[in-house]
Amino acid sequence: LEGYAARLRAGELVGQSNHVPPSAILSDGEVAKFLRRCSTTYVCQHEPRLLYKQMLLTQSVAGTEDVAVEFEDGYEYGSHNGAATLITVALGDSKPRRALQGTLATLDMHGLQVE
């Protein structure tokens, strides 16, 4: 995470697709605060760029009842080889189980398969 954060702060990834822009929100203190709320498994199994993307989305809805959604086409997942779409959802101050059930029902209603 630290190496990725340094690359973000240095502007090395500006303009590259699927990378978050440099932001003061991504300070070491804010990252540490976000990671303390995450399980070890969650942190260890995600790419740094996805953790930062999820952190920014989470902060965009913090203290509200809003939902933020971002789609990433061409996501390489398992045997899909770039054919998958990654959907990142951040929920504000809502009940997680109820919000997830509603999100999954909406995706199913539109014929989207969730793996």
Side-chain angles (χ1 to χ4, degrees):
L1 282 177
E2 292 170 355
Y4 184 77
R7 292 181 67 201
L8 282 175
R9 283 192 291 271
E12 292 178 24
L13 303 171
V14 171
Q16 291 188 25
S17 64
N18 302 321
H19 291 278
V20 299
S23 171
I25 293 173
L26 299 175
S27 69
D28 290 340
E30 289 298 317
V31 171
K33 188 177 359 174
F34 175 74
L35 293 177
R36 280 193 297 273
R37 296 190 318 252
C38 301
S39 72
T40 302
T41 303
Y42 174 80
V43 173
C44 291
Q45 291 182 351
H46 282 78
E47 298 174 37
R49 72 174 188 84
L50 294 178
L51 286 170
Y52 280 95
K53 181 183 287 192
Q54 292 162 2
M55 181 178 152
L56 287 176
L57 281 177
T58 299
Q59 289 190 354
S60 75
V61 297
T64 72
E65 293 184 7
D66 292 342
V67 173
V69 179
E70 188 170 298
F71 296 87
E72 180 179 322
D73 289 324
Y75 182 71
E76 294 187 20
Y77 172 76
S79 62
H80 295 287
N81 295 326
T85 298
L86 175 67
I87 303 172
T88 304
V89 179
L91 309 168
D93 296 338
S94 60
K95 302 287 185 206
R97 181 177 300 270
R98 184 178 310 153
L100 183 57
Q101 288 171 335
T103 301
L104 292 173
T106 301
L107 292 172
D108 185 56
M109 198 169 45
H110 291 282
L112 294 172
Q113 180 183 4
V114 177
E115 290 185 25

